[in-house]
Amino acid sequence: MNIPEGLKYSREHEWVRVDGQRAYVGITDYAQDELGDIVYVELPEVGAQLKAGETFGTVESVKTVSDLYAPVSGRVVQVNEELANAPEKVNESPYDDAWMIVVEMDDPSELEALLDADAYRQHIQG
């Protein structure tokens, strides 16, 4: 299971890569593996206001549909449009090509509530 150091993780299996006031958000390798082959990704519009812990979209796989939860609050400033036509990228490259949204964070201190790689590893091992 690939759990890169230097990222933050939510208990709902989203990852966050921080770049200044911006947070790149996607789902973890563990999440994509549990979901199976991803066939559709629904993401918010640029400009949408997100609140930490609330849903911001869905991922549909051959097995199920799963909600995506915002790990931080803020305004969506970029959406990965490629995932609309190539949702399989989430399975192939969850941390690189398949980032989902970029959020201009309202409150970067919310990052402190997220898990580091070791804590996330413990979380998924139960």
Side-chain angles (χ1 to χ4, degrees):
M1 197 59 50
N2 184 12
I3 304 172
E5 297 292 331
L7 299 180
K8 291 290 199 172
Y9 299 89
S10 73
R11 295 183 184 282
E12 294 79 30
H13 310 291
E14 284 81 25
W15 58 262
V16 178
R17 182 175 67 241
V18 178
D19 183 9
Q21 282 290 113
R22 294 190 169 189
Y24 287 75
V25 178
I27 66 169
T28 65
D29 189 33
Y30 174 82
Q32 71 77 24
D33 188 57
E34 289 290 304
L35 287 167
D37 292 338
I38 292 171
V39 296
Y40 181 73
V41 178
E42 181 179 290
L43 299 172
E45 298 288 321
V46 169
Q49 192 67 31
L50 305 182
K51 186 165 172 49
E54 292 183 355
T55 61
F56 72 84
T58 57
V59 174
E60 188 174 328
S61 72
V62 292
K63 293 187 203 174
T64 188
V65 175
S66 184
D67 285 334
L68 299 167
Y69 295 92
V72 293
S73 301
R75 186 173 58 85
V76 177
V77 294
Q78 198 174 348
V79 173
N80 189 343
E81 302 289 349
E82 287 184 29
L83 298 182
N85 297 321
E88 67 278 1
K89 285 187 176 198
V90 177
N91 295 114
E92 297 163 1
S93 182
Y95 299 109
D96 296 313
D97 297 335
W99 60 270
M100 294 180 172
I101 58 173
V102 180
V103 177
E104 187 79 33
M105 292 182 285
D106 288 342
D107 183 4
S109 72
E110 288 177 336
L111 294 166
E112 295 168 19
L114 300 175
L115 308 172
D116 64 13
D118 288 338
Y120 182 68
R121 195 171 291 109
Q122 291 173 1
H123 173 63
I124 62 175
Q125 290 171 349

